[in-house]
């Protein structure tokens, strides 16, 4: 079963410095049909204007991942981390018992384009932590590059949930398959380009919730960048 979530159906908020599309209910956008999918709670596609950003604010009991599509993102938190990540950089922090942080676009000229992802943790009250890495899918053509996982396998960042996040770039005319175990579910998010997913066309910003499918088959004529969540 594949359920399509079209880009134009998402919630939208434009604050001037921030242009954000919400896949699931978030802030002032509420849709009872789209609260979460499995443990995946938030996917916000954010475009932050040059020198714009989120002031210091708190989080608790959430696994939060930022995936930078283009531009750069600067991070500062109450654990003492002061970091900046660029294209295909990933930052992960466990909010746990409580953390405050700020995020902003350090560039004076270039907007930052990123996906903010929240995953519900498997346990409350975890010790807050932070890490970041760069994953360049173009360096591993034909592969699903593991970005986040419960066991930090294959160099991925650690998340406290039975979930795995992959990224891949498909060249024009390329295909990619992903076997899905009977007890697993998938969320496919098109970051750039367009794909056919098991016969369903998805454009940039579109997504699909997948259950009870043995295999995912992605193909593309123009090329595409895709995120795939493998979820319990």
């Amino acid at each position: 079963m594949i359920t399509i979530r079209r880009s134009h159906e998402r919630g939208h908020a434009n604050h001037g410095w921030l242009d954000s599309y919400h896949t699931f209910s978030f802030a002032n956008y509420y849709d009872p049909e789209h609260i979460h999918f499995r443990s995946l709670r938030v996917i916000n596609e954010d475009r932050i204007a040059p020198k714009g950003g989120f002031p210091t604010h708190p989080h608790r009991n959430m696994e939060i991942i930022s995936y930078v599509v283009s531009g750069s993102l600067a991070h500062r938190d109450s654990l003492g981390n002061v970091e900046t990540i660029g294209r295909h950089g990933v930052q992960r922090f466990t909010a746990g018992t409580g953390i405050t942080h700020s995020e902003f676009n350090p560039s004076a000229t270039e907007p930052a384009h990123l996906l903010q992802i929240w995953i519900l943790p498997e346990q409350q009250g975890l010790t807050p932590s932070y890490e970041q890495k760069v994953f360049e899918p173009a360096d591993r053509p034909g592969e699903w590059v593991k970005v986040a996982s419960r066991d930090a396998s294959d160099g991925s960042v650690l998340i406290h949930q039975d979930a795995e996040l992959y990224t891949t770039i498909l060249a024009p005319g390329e295909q990619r398959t992903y076997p899905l175990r009977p007890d697993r579910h998938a969320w496919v998010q098109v970051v750039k380009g367009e794909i056919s997913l098991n016969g369903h066309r998805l454009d940039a910003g579109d997504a699909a919730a997948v259950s009870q499918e043995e295999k995912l088959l992605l193909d593309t004529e123009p090329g595409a960048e895709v995120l795939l969540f493998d979820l319990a």
Side-chain angles (χ1 to χ4, degrees), residues 68-79:
V68 178
V69 180
S70 62
S72 57
L73 182 69
H75 168 96
R76 182 187 298 269
D77 65 41
S78 53
L79 301 179

Side-chain angles (χ1 to χ4, degrees), residues 126-165:
L126 294 166
T127 300
S129 61
Y130 174 90
E131 67 178 312
Q132 69 176 48
K133 292 185 177 181
V134 176
F135 300 87
E136 183 48 76
D139 292 341
R140 295 167 62 179
E143 295 186 34
W144 291 102
V145 179
K146 189 181 293 186
V147 170
S149 66
R150 192 187 204 175
D151 58 2
S153 56
D154 301 328
S156 59
V157 300
L158 174 70
I159 53 173
H160 297 88
Q161 181 53 267
D162 185 5
E164 294 180 341
L165 170 58

